[in-house]
Amino acid sequence: MIKVITYGTYDLLHEGHVNLLRRAKELGDYLIVGVTSDSFDRGRGKLNVRNNVLERVEAVKATGYADEVIIEDYLGQKIDDIQRYDVDIFAIGSDWVGKFDYLEEYCKVVYLPRTEGISSTMLRNQIEEVFRIGIVGSGRIAKRFVPESAVVNSAKITSVFDTNKTSAELFGKKFDIKPYSDCFEAFLNDIDAVYIASPHLTHYDYTKRALYAGKHVLCEIPFMLKAEQAKELYDYAYGHNLVLLEASKTAFCPSFNHLVTLVKSGVIGDVVDVKTSLSKMVYAPTRELDATQSGGAMNEHAPLNMMAIIKLLGKDYCKVNFYSKIENGVDIYTKADICYPHATASMTLGIGVKTEGNMVVSGTKGYIYVPAPWWLTDFFEIRYEDQTRNKKFFYSYDGDGLRYEIQEFMSMIVNHRKSSYKLRREDSIAIADVIEKFNNKENYNEI
Ligand code: CTP
């Protein structure tokens, strides 16, 4: 019996897929079809697949050509499968010519002519509801946002607003989008959603104006510097069916989400301590070092660190103490100790003091170690007293990692979801509250 194997995502199954499966089956007597798992596709940056793995498997089965359907879940699996299933022929569409020649060591490789004029990408584009996004601010982070949004469904960046006309125009030219620098309302008129990446102190005003104009908002960190402002805007958004999301990029990245679910499922027992650290040295006289622009280590870095602490221990801490080293009116270093009824946490933040930017989550059975930079998590390890039980977890962290927050934002808009379990409104308000306490110098100590 001649066994044939082929692989694919088979999203929105179309005629090209059916032709391919028919011809693959004709090459032998038994056809195995490998369908990619959702996590495998996500892991290789294919974030826009419409059908989930069960739907895709069902669609492949319904063609009647597959004798067996298997799930492709890791890189290198094809070699394992070919040997495990004793496969004679590996078949794939001609768009892959040459890419799978390395499999010739294990079986015959056949490239079948691809059906012209149809693809899943084409079908996705046809059914896709596109939302026009305007970016407020044209700095470093905004520049990273544009290419990252290109891999996310439904997101189309169409304009940029910056009060600095030259910056807006340069940005507009670079990304072929429309620049605005005078009238914010005119900028809002042409879009459906806004990404706010302007200086900290402008976040509240821009977010409010955008929401009042009926636009969905994704706002960079620090989201708000006052809890009351955060609450007011979330309430408004909720009441008007608008999506408002804090762009806490780590909160939406797959590895961090997995870490949280592992901790919640008890792999290290009860969590007793969370230690996080983040430092980025700033030398030139920039906004980060400017007290009048709410610079400083806390305002810069507390949002991500507090997010992690709150995700792991909740928002109901009993006490927070701050210890800061001040230079020219800004904290170049702050350590915050946060006390919970049954746990402790601390975050060590620097813009003029360098620290090891790792995270350690300690529990009654073991601990999780995330090496620096923990906020760009692509690896962590669960460690136990008995080291033979240690387990390492690896992930891909694609691009600048912004794609995950953009995807969550777009998915909330498309699916009319007003809240994200990855970063709840109450948690975002609690983060703003800690920042506000610091800026009000509550339990504050200068060192
Ligand atoms: N295929 C084909 N003809 C097409 C589209 C796909 O023969 N018009 C083949 C591919 O070469 C592959 C299999 O179908 O062997 C599964 O491809 P998949 O990547 O799932 O489909 P695409 O439509 O190419 O998807 P995408 O647009 O997401 O790349």
Side-chain angles (χ1 to χ4, degrees):
M1 180 172 74
I2 298 174
K3 276 191 176 179
V4 183
I5 198 162
T6 188
Y7 293 85
T9 302
Y10 301 101
D11 190 27
L12 303 172
L13 195 103
H14 53 71
E15 187 198 333
H17 293 141
V18 178
N19 288 341
L20 185 286
L21 293 174
R22 189 189 66 250
R23 278 175 288 160
K25 169 82 180 189
E26 284 166 7
L27 292 172
D29 311 301
Y30 191 83
L31 177 65
I32 304 173
V33 182
V35 176
T36 51
S37 73
D38 296 331
S39 59
F40 183 60
D41 272 329
R42 258 199 311 275
R44 58 189 190 136
K46 206 165 173 175
L47 298 180
N48 53 5
V49 177
R50 283 301 176 107
N51 295 142
N52 67 37
V53 63
L54 293 178
E55 292 164 337
R56 292 182 284 114
V57 165
E58 283 310 313
V60 166
K61 280 187 181 163
T63 65
Y65 294 119
D67 295 287
E68 190 172 347
V69 177
I70 60 170
I71 302 296
E72 184 180 22
D73 200 32
Y74 62 90
L75 213 58
Q77 184 183 325
K78 292 186 180 74
I79 295 179
D80 283 344
D81 289 342
I82 288 167
Q83 295 177 105
R84 182 182 312 139
Y85 296 105
D86 204 11
V87 166
D88 303 286
I89 300 173
F90 170 87
I92 196 96
S94 52
D95 43 326
W96 295 98
V97 166
K99 299 251 173 46
F100 291 101
D101 290 356
Y102 68 90
L103 293 175
E104 274 164 4
E105 189 181 331
Y106 306 94
C107 67
K108 188 173 167 195
V109 175
V110 176
Y111 297 102
L112 296 166
R114 190 179 159 89
T115 308
E116 292 304 319
I118 181 113
S119 73
S120 302
T121 306
M122 200 180 99
L123 295 178
R124 279 193 294 263
N125 289 342
Q126 279 171 8
I127 58 171
E128 189 174 65
E129 204 183 342
V130 173
F131 291 86
R132 299 160 303 166
I133 301 177
I135 300 182
V136 182
S138 56
R140 273 166 299 165
I141 186 92
K143 287 195 182 85
R144 283 186 240 147
F145 191 86
V146 183
E148 285 286 289
S149 66
V151 297
V152 180
N153 271 340
S154 303
K156 183 165 168 51
I157 312 292
T158 53
S159 55
V160 62
F161 178 87
D162 197 308
T163 48
N164 181 322
K165 195 163 189 271
T166 316
S167 303
E169 281 172 359
L170 281 173
F171 194 94
K173 201 163 174 211
K174 182 173 166 73
F175 296 109
D176 195 20
I177 58 177
K178 194 166 173 191
Y180 290 84
S181 51
D182 302 323
C183 181
F184 190 63
E185 271 61 36
F187 158 79
L188 290 175
N189 271 341
D190 285 341
I191 51 179
D192 307 300
V194 188
Y195 168 58
I196 296 175
S198 51
H200 304 349
L201 290 173
T202 63
H203 286 183
Y204 172 73
D205 187 49
Y206 282 139
T207 302
K208 189 170 179 168
R209 285 162 72 186
L211 288 174
Y212 277 59
K215 313 298 169 186
H216 304 288
V217 178
L218 174 66
C219 179
E220 256 311 324
I221 52 174
F223 173 55
M224 296 294 140
L225 299 176
K226 291 187 167 67
E228 195 46 50
Q229 291 181 339
K231 188 172 177 327
E232 175 203 326
L233 297 178
Y234 279 122
D235 284 349
Y236 183 88
Y238 195 84
H240 292 79
N241 293 320
L242 293 168
V243 172
L244 173 59
L245 189 67
E246 171 175 345
S248 176
K249 69 173 177 182
T250 311
F252 308 105
C253 92
S255 50
F256 182 75
N257 292 157
H258 194 203
L259 184 151
V260 173
T261 55
L262 284 170
V263 169
K264 296 284 175 195
S265 53
V267 292
I268 57 166
D270 297 332
V271 181
V272 176
D273 185 55
V274 178
K275 246 194 226 78
T276 71
S277 179
L278 199 169
S279 69
K280 276 185 190 159
M281 297 301 274
V282 180
Y283 301 104
T286 54
R287 184 182 47 72
E288 288 94 330
L289 294 169
D290 184 351
T292 65
Q293 297 194 61
S294 289
M298 252 313 271
N299 290 340
E300 287 300 317
H301 299 319
L304 286 187
N305 288 269
M306 217 36 230
M307 178 279 296
I309 291 169
I310 286 176
K311 288 297 291 181
L312 293 162
L313 287 171
K315 61 178 174 43
D316 298 323
Y317 58 86
C318 340
K319 194 171 177 190
V320 53
N321 283 315
F322 304 101
Y323 303 89
S324 298
K325 188 171 175 57
I326 306 292
E327 255 179 42
N328 301 320
V330 299
D331 58 317
I332 56 162
Y333 168 88
T334 289
K335 174 153 187 171
D337 284 331
I338 302 133
C339 193
Y340 285 81
H342 306 290
T344 54
S346 63
M347 51 182 178
T348 308
L349 316 172
I351 56 169
V353 169
K354 195 65 197 157
T355 65
E356 168 75 7
N358 59 15
M359 173 160 76
V360 180
V361 187
S362 306
T364 49
K365 292 183 182 157
Y367 70 95
I368 295 188
Y369 172 71
V370 191
W374 73 264
W375 57 97
L376 308 175
T377 328
D378 62 359
F379 161 77
F380 60 81
E381 184 172 11
I382 305 179
R383 294 177 176 171
Y384 298 100
E385 187 70 30
D386 171 6
Q387 291 180 23
T388 59
R389 293 179 55 220
N390 288 4
K391 200 161 172 3
K392 295 182 167 70
F393 292 82
F394 297 89
Y395 304 83
S396 70
Y397 187 84
D398 293 310
D400 284 310
L402 298 182
R403 62 191 58 187
Y404 307 111
E405 71 185 22
I406 306 172
Q407 197 203 11
E408 182 70 4
F409 182 57
M410 296 319 299
S411 148
M412 288 170 80
I413 294 175
V414 170
N415 300 307
H416 308 288
R417 236 178 343 111
K418 288 190 272 184
S419 148
S420 167
Y421 74 89
K422 291 174 183 164
L423 184 61
R424 296 196 185 285
R425 282 185 299 245
E426 307 78 57
D427 295 344
S428 171
I429 295 168
I431 295 169
D433 188 52
V434 172
I435 295 174
E436 184 175 0
K437 283 193 169 84
F438 172 81
N439 288 319
N440 287 341
K441 294 199 163 29
E442 280 179 46
N443 299 325
Y444 167 87
N445 307 274
E446 202 170 322
I447 54 165

